[in-house]
Amino acid sequence: MYIHTRMGASISISLVALLGVSACLPVTERVGAQPVEVGEPPTTVSGSAHSGRLIPGFDITSEVRTDTTPFVVGGTFIGSAFPRDGRSQLSFYGFDASGTDWRVDTNPSCVGTVPTQVGGEAAIVILDSDARRNGPGGVSATVATAFSAADGVPLWGPTEVPGPSPGTGLIFANTPKALTNERTPTTLLDAASGAVVDEPAGTALYEHHGTALEGTAENFSAIDSGSSETLWTSAQLSPGPFGVGREAAARFEGSYGPSTGSLVVLEWADPAGADTTVAVIHDLRTGAPLGRVDGTPSGMAAVDDATQTVLLTSQRADGTYTITAARPRKGILWTSESDSPAQVSTTGAGMA
């Protein structure tokens, strides 16, 4: 149950409902997630028995029952509910402190969502497939459709993609069914239009809000996904004044996971064989060095789309932990030290 409260804050209570669902549903010719009427479930009215559990001074405005922990896109919380109570679809709900604003349905074999921006507007890309027609294991087409996070209105799509996103932006791949040494081909979509983007610099490695990193770990370029214009290349980068020699080379490891927003963390090492590397934060759009991360990656990064602030957790050589907050064009905003393992679980609206 997700509880909305007044006073500009919210409190969530986890509802665990890991249900097995079938991909064999009634035949539907059209493939693509669809906006539908919100309906009654899973929304309830205000004034429930949860009132006594809240911090004094907070009032419940509405409740939304979801089977997944909600995440924030723009100013909207998004959560999903598995099929039940007469619903055969997987339903995504967009809501805020005023209640539930929209619902988008897809089949229960849906393979994920990707937050993005379409023309500066916060959006969520929801996948769908033709598993309803073909039965379990019979997916022959997967499509991506972008919806406004504010009101659920379709913004582009459906666009056919080979499979799910590995969590690196609008990059999609057909997940191998067995171990293989071959690199899985990917499809990169333009955030503004949903069109498939040519990959002139090689395989797409990472994408965020219309800027993509392509190539290999050692040789990569940043491109504008709308125009395919090359913004910078790894050969043009400088580590800045962060303790790296002039002969050092940059490497993209994706060490902090997918949630590094409009920043990219590169590992700089001396090609002569230095024992240590230096992690430097770069602006994804310009390649400019913004600061150094102290230690090695520890856990996933988190990004607050409201402020574009990225939080990175690292472990230092002495066993302590550092949380680093950085922002494009601004650099490092602050750091916080901890003697015990620290991890950022959720960010949104300028808070973490």
Side-chain angles (χ1 to χ4, degrees):
M1 185 81 70
Y2 194 86
I3 302 176
H4 301 301
T5 63
R6 291 190 176 94
M7 295 185 67
S10 56
I11 295 175
S12 62
I13 300 175
S14 175
L15 175 66
V16 179
L18 300 178
L19 304 178
V21 293
S22 170
C24 187
L25 296 174
V27 173
T28 301
E29 290 301 322
R30 178 177 172 81
V31 178
Q34 297 291 311
V36 298
E37 293 294 327
V38 171
E40 289 300 324
T43 306
T44 59
V45 297
S46 60
S48 75
H50 292 288
S51 300
R53 305 180 189 177
L54 300 182
I55 299 171
F58 286 79
D59 299 320
I60 293 176
T61 59
S62 65
E63 299 177 8
V64 179
R65 183 181 300 276
T66 61
D67 297 317
T68 60
T69 301
F71 55 94
V72 181
V73 178
T76 303
F77 289 95
I78 298 176
S80 59
F82 297 139
R84 68 158 67 87
D85 301 329
R87 291 182 295 108
S88 61
Q89 307 280 32
L90 173 65
S91 300
F92 288 88
Y93 291 87
F95 50 91
D96 55 24
S98 64
T100 305
D101 298 315
W102 55 264
R103 168 181 161 189
V104 169
D105 280 5
T106 187
N107 71 71
S109 64
C110 174
V111 283
T113 60
V114 182
T116 189
Q117 284 190 358
V118 178
E121 180 179 0
I124 183 72
V125 175
I126 298 176
L127 302 188
D128 188 32
S129 75
D130 59 357
R132 288 183 294 253
R133 266 188 317 218
N134 298 338
V139 176
S140 62
T142 300
V143 297
T145 307
F147 300 88
S148 166
D151 54 22
V153 172
L155 300 176
W156 53 251
T159 301
E160 187 166 353
V161 293
S165 169
T168 49
L170 293 176
I171 301 172
F172 304 88
N174 185 4
T175 306
K177 303 299 185 293
L179 294 176
T180 175
N181 291 327
E182 297 182 5
R183 187 154 193 167
T184 303
T186 61
T187 293
L188 170 66
L189 299 186
D190 173 29
S193 66
V196 176
V197 179
D198 290 333
E199 300 177 15
T203 302
L205 305 171
Y206 180 72
E207 187 276 343
H208 184 75
H209 294 181
T211 304
L213 206 63
E214 296 183 346
T216 66
E218 299 85 8
N219 185 14
F220 48 89
S221 302
I223 69 164
D224 180 283
S225 61
S227 64
S228 294
E229 174 191 0
T230 298
L231 304 174
W232 53 265
T233 69
S234 54
Q236 298 169 333
L237 290 182
S238 164
F242 300 117
V244 183
R246 290 185 178 181
E247 300 301 319
R251 183 179 177 87
F252 175 73
E253 296 284 3
S255 303
Y256 284 91
S259 298
T260 46
S262 292
L263 303 177
V264 59
V265 180
L266 303 178
E267 302 290 337
W268 287 86
D270 190 328
D275 293 332
T276 60
T277 60
V278 176
V280 178
I281 302 170
H282 292 257
D283 189 303
L284 177 63
R285 190 75 185 174
T286 67
L290 301 177
R292 176 175 174 173
V293 179
D294 190 7
T296 59
S298 177
M300 298 285 282
V303 59
D304 171 31
D305 264 350
T307 64
Q308 286 297 294
T309 301
V310 177
L311 301 179
L312 307 165
T313 304
S314 56
Q315 185 176 16
R316 302 167 69 182
D318 62 2
T320 60
Y321 292 79
T322 300
I323 296 178
T324 300
R327 190 181 301 164
R329 296 177 296 281
K330 295 290 187 180
I332 292 178
L333 305 177
W334 52 262
T335 60
S336 178
E337 311 297 330
S338 173
D339 291 333
S340 58
Q343 184 173 340
V344 179
S345 59
T346 305
T347 62
M351 298 179 289

